Amino acid sequence: MSGINEANIILGICGGIAAYKSPYIVRGLKERGADVRVVFSPNAHKFVTKTTLQAVSGHPVRDNLWDENAEASMGHIELAKWANMILIAPATANSISKIANGAADDLLTTLLLATEAPVFVTPSMNQRMYLHPSTQSNLVKLRDLGYFTIGPSDGSQACGDEGPGRMTEPNEIIDHIARHCSTEIPQNLEGVNVMVTAGPTRERLDPVRYITNDSSGKQGLAIANAAKSKGATVTLIAGPNVEPTNPGIFRIDVESAIEMNNAVQERLKETDLFIGVAAVADYRPANFLKEKIKRHGNNSLTNLELTENPDVIANVAKVKNRPIIVGFAAETNDPLKHAREKRIRKGIDAIIVNDVSDPSIGFNSTENAATLIHEGGEIAFAKQSKISLGAELIDQLENIFSLSKRQKSLRQTSHA
Ligand code: PMT
């Protein structure tokens, strides 16, 4: 398979409310040229009809291991062999548990044991169910078994809750699959060590309160994945609540700016390219109060004293034999002017500015638009999913800084 247009994809749909979005996934994959066959878990039909999925996929929907007619035309082992990719969207807590534990009690789980194709699991469930230690440990098991996960995202849920567990939007899922399918992606970054920071930091005031921001880590994760898919060795330094990372990316979780600064400095030595996407808090409470601050009395608080945090990216710039450094700038006014100044002030090679006064891009959105500013010029990127923007940015950075294997060895020689 050299691209999504040659992909035979099984879309497994489980019994969750996000199943109403699954027809859009089928349509999007087919528009890109994939052949898609749909398999229902036993409860998927409670949320979406076989007729709909049959109409959009152009194939009968399979939902039963014991369907003699279906088995006669393409048996389940043949179906598993036909697929060169399996996507499960939505994947419920129950199906994730079954898959993680190797169950084979319905057609979909049986196919997963019979396939050698890569499997992408797109979790979708209530936030408490997602955060439950059982689900979290099942997701770790899945990744250890080599399954890829996409999302989930954070936000309002069908049940009225807010939090992580929403299924990633169909267009993002399709971008993700398209990137993976593209085995034509040249592995130009093989041997290049890339470090990416992503997400917010959390600056604690007392045991229950902290200062933070709305960064979700999506943009940083998309950049880390794009670098990985071009063969780079990627380290992700992730702030709180950044979505799970796929196999192959080395991840370090941190909470505060100080922890992020330490984690970056500890692993900087081998880094060729540093990309600071994290929204690091510039300030933290000057004092951490060990006991919860009371509303009234001695321990009450009306003024908050702050102290400056380390500037993670500026500290990378101070290191001898430093890597190539790319920062991000989240601006609400005069974005280009502020970003140009920020690049110089921080002593970095390039800066990618996003105008976060537009609520549809920037913090915690699925899309972004940006301008990359470097010494030799400026490149604007139209609004698109963060996944495809991540890929475009990595392509441009590779060109601008000659990051390919050959160039890397030249750089090493000139450093020596
Ligand atoms: O995470 P998402 O929801 O996907 O949203 C993406 C994003 C909007 C967070 C991202 O695109 C972005 O703009 N990241 C940078 C946000 C930011 O903090 O910008 P800044 O202008 O304050 O910082 C400029 C640069 O300095 C950044 O590279 C930042 O990582 C770095 N910095 C800032 C402060 C600090 N103490 N240490 C730093 O390293």
Side-chain angles (χ1 to χ4, degrees), residues 22 40 47 54 78 136 168 170 181 196 212 223 230 258 263 278 292 309 333 367 374 396 400-401:
S22 302
F40 272 13
F47 295 89
Q54 178 164 325
E78 268 173 282
Q136 289 302 310
T168 300
C181 278
V196 181
T212 190
I223 287 173
K230 294 195 100 176
I258 292 180
K292 186 184 164 208
N309 262 334
N333 63 308
E367 294 189 316
H374 62 110
Q396 286 299 336
I400 294 167
F401 297 109

Side-chain angles (χ1 to χ4, degrees), residues 290-308:
K290 286 204 185 97
E291 285 174 9
K292 186 184 164 208
I293 300 162
K294 302 282 181 292
R295 185 178 169 94
H296 303 289
N298 291 344
N299 187 10
S300 71
L301 180 88
T302 46
N303 284 316
L304 184 56
E305 198 187 328
L306 299 175
T307 187
E308 220 171 308

Side-chain angles (χ1 to χ4, degrees), residues 44-211:
H45 67 94
K46 294 186 177 150
F47 295 89
V48 69
T49 72
K50 281 167 92 171
T51 318
T52 309
L53 272 306
Q54 178 164 325
V56 287
S57 70
H59 293 292
V61 172
R62 301 276 304 263
D63 63 351
N64 187 350
L65 195 51
W66 308 107
D67 179 335
E68 285 173 16
N69 291 334
E71 284 290 312
S73 65
M74 191 191 255
H76 62 277
I77 300 294
E78 268 173 282
L79 182 58
K81 285 184 181 159
W82 169 85
N84 41 33
M85 174 173 298
I86 299 185
L87 167 66
I88 305 178
T92 56
N94 182 46
S95 46
I96 287 171
S97 164
K98 283 167 51 173
I99 301 164
N101 291 292
D105 62 347
D106 57 44
L107 178 61
L108 184 55
T109 49
T110 304
L111 287 174
L112 294 179
L113 295 189
T115 187
E116 288 184 353
V119 179
F120 292 80
V121 176
T122 313
S124 171
M125 68 202 73
N126 165 271
Q127 50 101 14
R128 287 199 188 168
M129 294 171 73
Y130 175 70
L131 294 172
H132 193 284
S134 295
T135 307
Q136 289 302 310
S137 96
N138 285 331
L139 284 166
V140 170
K141 261 194 211 166
L142 277 191
R143 287 183 211 109
D144 288 347
L145 289 168
Y147 290 90
F148 295 92
T149 55
I150 305 177
S153 28
D154 211 300
S156 62
Q157 305 200 307
C159 54
D161 278 7
E162 280 279 327
R166 273 170 66 98
M167 187 172 85
T168 300
E169 290 303 321
N171 62 338
E172 281 185 274
I173 295 174
I174 292 159
D175 275 351
H176 203 100
I177 297 294
R179 278 299 292 168
H180 184 92
C181 278
S182 194
T183 49
E184 281 165 355
I185 297 177
Q187 298 290 290
N188 287 354
L189 298 185
E190 213 169 279
V192 177
N193 291 314
V194 178
M195 185 188 286
V196 181
T197 65
T201 62
R202 200 178 265 178
E203 311 298 332
R204 291 208 176 260
L205 170 60
D206 73 6
V208 296
R209 301 184 178 91
Y210 49 77
I211 298 173

Side-chain angles (χ1 to χ4, degrees), residues 150-369:
I150 305 177
S153 28
D154 211 300
S156 62
Q157 305 200 307
C159 54
D161 278 7
E162 280 279 327
R166 273 170 66 98
M167 187 172 85
T168 300
E169 290 303 321
N171 62 338
E172 281 185 274
I173 295 174
I174 292 159
D175 275 351
H176 203 100
I177 297 294
R179 278 299 292 168
H180 184 92
C181 278
S182 194
T183 49
E184 281 165 355
I185 297 177
Q187 298 290 290
N188 287 354
L189 298 185
E190 213 169 279
V192 177
N193 291 314
V194 178
M195 185 188 286
V196 181
T197 65
T201 62
R202 200 178 265 178
E203 311 298 332
R204 291 208 176 260
L205 170 60
D206 73 6
V208 296
R209 301 184 178 91
Y210 49 77
I211 298 173
T212 190
N213 59 63
D214 282 332
S215 170
S216 61
K218 282 192 177 77
Q219 187 62 81
L221 208 49
I223 287 173
N225 283 332
K228 175 77 195 131
S229 70
K230 294 195 100 176
T233 302
V234 180
T235 302
L236 180 76
I237 314 286
N241 292 334
V242 174
E243 287 172 12
T245 317
N246 279 319
I249 292 183
F250 180 62
R251 169 174 176 147
I252 299 159
D253 286 289
V254 297
E255 183 172 277
S256 63
I258 292 180
E259 284 177 22
M260 185 171 278
N261 188 57
N262 292 343
V264 165
Q265 288 294 325
E266 270 167 33
R267 286 154 191 93
L268 201 56
K269 205 158 160 256
E270 301 299 320
T271 304
D272 301 296
L273 171 64
F274 175 86
I275 311 180
V277 197
V280 188
D282 282 316
Y283 297 93
R284 66 178 183 279
N287 302 302
F288 170 71
L289 299 158
K290 286 204 185 97
E291 285 174 9
K292 186 184 164 208
I293 300 162
K294 302 282 181 292
R295 185 178 169 94
H296 303 289
N298 291 344
N299 187 10
S300 71
L301 180 88
T302 46
N303 284 316
L304 184 56
E305 198 187 328
L306 299 175
T307 187
E308 220 171 308
N309 262 334
D311 188 327
V312 179
I313 206 165
N315 287 343
V316 175
K318 287 179 193 153
V319 169
K320 199 169 162 232
N321 285 338
R322 70 168 181 72
I324 292 160
I325 305 173
V326 179
F328 263 72
E331 303 293 344
T332 52
N333 63 308
D334 264 342
L336 292 176
K337 175 173 171 283
H338 289 303
R340 287 177 194 130
E341 288 165 4
K342 205 170 267 184
R343 183 180 82 81
I344 308 288
R345 196 168 59 244
K346 298 215 181 219
I348 61 181
D349 302 292
I351 198 155
I352 296 156
V353 55
N354 33 207
D355 180 350
V356 294
S357 66
D358 174 352
S360 72
I361 61 169
F363 286 92
N364 200 14
S365 57
T366 56
E367 294 189 316
N368 208 358

Side-chain angles (χ1 to χ4, degrees), residues 1-24:
M1 177 178 50
S2 65
I4 200 165
N5 56 335
E6 289 176 26
N8 290 337
I9 302 177
I10 290 177
L11 174 66
I13 302 180
C14 302
I17 181 63
Y20 81 91
K21 296 181 181 173
S22 302
Y24 295 99

